[in-house]
């Protein structure tokens, strides 16, 4: 009788264990993966391979579900639980979460954190992140290499000419998240609102030609964004009127400028456009008692990594060759297309500000020497466009 009792107990326990495993299967089929996990864990043999596989699949599905709704911490937790049961089973998925987290940090311009998570993703999976990591490392290391960075964030108290510089948003391609969802990948450069008359509204901006190289007009229009005197952002649709078709392989024969019109003027009471002189920068400098250069643009290594407009108040401008001038001002990628300014005076007290060129490219590793396209090379085209649209 006693032996029969123990046999019944053993048999009953076995049935009880099978009951939880079966219940876990039912919950799994209903996509109730959390309940499935709870039941599989109650199985008499949770370390059995068949139960382990069921647990792993439940954890992976839980991780996938939380990844879809962007709850990355919970997603990572469940993927890690799966990885504890099988060392390599979830590494690709964990790498995907790290990449998503890194992308969010990058979008928020928190580059130290973005770099940390991109490297974690790269460590787990052989994915093409090397270029992105290199790009972020450049941004983070640039300031450390500079000996004398005098750039300032543009505020309402900054020189009036700085407020004529805005941001040009260039659509490049569609990035599909799934069959129905996509986002537009944009490139961002700088651009300057210009005019011949300091008291009139303007519908003309200038930027660098290389900013437009991969522009895909089928995806959407170019957009120009600039802060007005009330510190609100004004948007305009832009259209290319002239493009020098910059070619880095033909530096001695091609310039780097583009002239664009806006679909609607920006009122002078909101933004004062830069006045364009018909004299070259070296001619203006020679006629001045004293002169110095300045530049402004959205350099993406400073001011929340390009979120804010910055300017270098003082540097030297010189002629490099027939196509380009050279500046000792400090800048970085994102400033391309921004304004080069010559400040002149006849009494060392009162200074005039002249738009004299467009930021083009950088030559040395520290981005210290900035090359620009002098405005006198495209002055006639610029005047023609201004007269047509203003």
């Amino acid at each position: 009788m006693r032996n029969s009792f123990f046999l019944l107990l053993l048999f009953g326990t076995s049935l009880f264990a099978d009951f939880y495993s079966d219940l876990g299967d039912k919950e799994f089929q209903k996509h109730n993966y959390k309940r499935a996990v709870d039941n599989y864990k109650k199985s008499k043999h949770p370390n059995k391979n068949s139960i382990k596989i069921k647990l792993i699949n439940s954890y992976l599905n839980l991780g996938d579900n939380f990844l879809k709704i962007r709850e990355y911490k919970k997603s990572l937790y469940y993927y890690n639980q799966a990885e504890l049961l099988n060392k390599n089973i979830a590494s690709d998925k964990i790498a995907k979460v790290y990449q998503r987290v890194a992308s969010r940090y990058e979008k928020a311009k928190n580059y130290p954190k973005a770099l940390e998570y991109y490297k974690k993703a790269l460590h787990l999976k052989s994915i093409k992140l090397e270029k992105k990591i290199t790009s972020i490392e450049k941004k983070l290391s640039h300031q450390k290499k500079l000996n004398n960075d005098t750039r300032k964030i543009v505020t309402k108290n900054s020189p009036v000419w700085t407020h004529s510089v805005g941001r040009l948003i260039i659509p490049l391609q569609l990035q599909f998240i799934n069959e129905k969802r996509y986002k537009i990948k944009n490139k961002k450069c700088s651009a300057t609102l210009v005019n011949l008359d300091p008291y009139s509204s303007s519908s003309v901006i200038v930027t660098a030609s290389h900013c437009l190289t991969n522009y895909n007009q089928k995806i959407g229009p170019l957009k120009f964004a600039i802060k007005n005197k009330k510190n609100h952002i004004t948007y305009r649709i832009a259209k290319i009127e002239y493009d020098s078709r910059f070619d880095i392989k033909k530096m001695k024969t091609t310039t780097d400028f583009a002239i664009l019109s806006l679909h609607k003027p920006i009122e002078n009471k909101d933004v004062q456009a830069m006045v364009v002189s018909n004299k070259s920068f070296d001619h203006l400098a020679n006629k001045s008692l004293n002169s110095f250069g300045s530049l402004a643009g959205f350099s993406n290594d400073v001011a929340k990594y390009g979120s804010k407009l910055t300017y270098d108040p003082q540097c030297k401008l010189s002629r490099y060759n027939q196509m380009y001038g050279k500046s000792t001002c400090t800048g970085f990628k994102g400033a391309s297309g921004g304004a080069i300014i010559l400040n002149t005076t006849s009494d060392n007290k009162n200074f005039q500000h002249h738009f004299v060129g467009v930021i083009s490219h950088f030559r040395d590793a520290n981005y210290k020497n900035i090359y620009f396209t002098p405005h006198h090379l495209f002055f006639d085209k610029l005047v023609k466009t201004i007269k047509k649209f203003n």
Side-chain angles (χ1 to χ4, degrees), residues 244-358:
S244 68
R245 304 291 179 184
F246 173 76
D247 187 344
I248 197 166
K249 295 178 181 178
K250 300 177 181 179
M251 296 295 291
K252 293 183 179 180
T253 57
T254 59
T255 53
D256 189 9
F257 76 89
I259 304 170
L260 298 86
S261 62
L262 305 177
H263 81 287
K264 183 180 177 182
I266 295 178
E267 299 293 328
N268 180 261
K269 62 182 178 62
D270 295 323
V271 181
Q272 187 174 332
M274 271 301 303
V275 176
V276 183
S277 168
N278 62 348
K279 301 291 192 300
S280 66
F281 74 91
D282 45 2
H283 178 88
L284 289 167
N286 290 333
K287 292 292 183 180
S288 176
L289 179 65
N290 189 18
S291 66
F292 60 91
S294 302
L295 67 74
F298 291 87
S299 292
N300 61 23
D301 66 320
V302 293
K304 293 188 177 180
Y305 300 100
S307 294
K308 296 185 178 181
L309 179 64
T310 57
Y311 73 105
D312 195 334
Q314 189 163 344
C315 61
K316 294 179 181 179
L317 304 182
S318 60
R319 186 176 287 275
Y320 179 68
N321 59 24
Q322 287 187 334
M323 293 296 177
Y324 293 96
K326 185 170 75 170
S327 158
T328 61
C329 274
T330 300
F332 197 69
K333 291 180 179 179
S336 294
I340 294 287
I341 303 296
L342 183 72
N343 304 274
T344 63
T345 181
S346 57
D347 58 9
N348 276 332
K349 292 180 181 179
N350 302 298
F351 281 84
Q352 289 184 306
H353 314 293
H354 310 272
F355 170 81
V356 294
V358 173

Side-chain angles (χ1 to χ4, degrees), residues 189-204:
C189 276
S190 304
T192 307
L193 187 70
V194 295
N195 208 342
L196 299 173
D197 180 0
Y199 305 106
S200 299
S201 303
S202 180
S203 298
V204 179

Side-chain angles (χ1 to χ4, degrees), residues 25-38:
D25 292 343
K26 289 178 181 178
E27 295 294 351
F28 188 94
Q29 289 170 4
K30 294 177 183 177
H31 307 292
N32 295 327
Y33 303 118
K34 182 67 174 65
R35 289 181 183 176
V37 167
D38 292 339

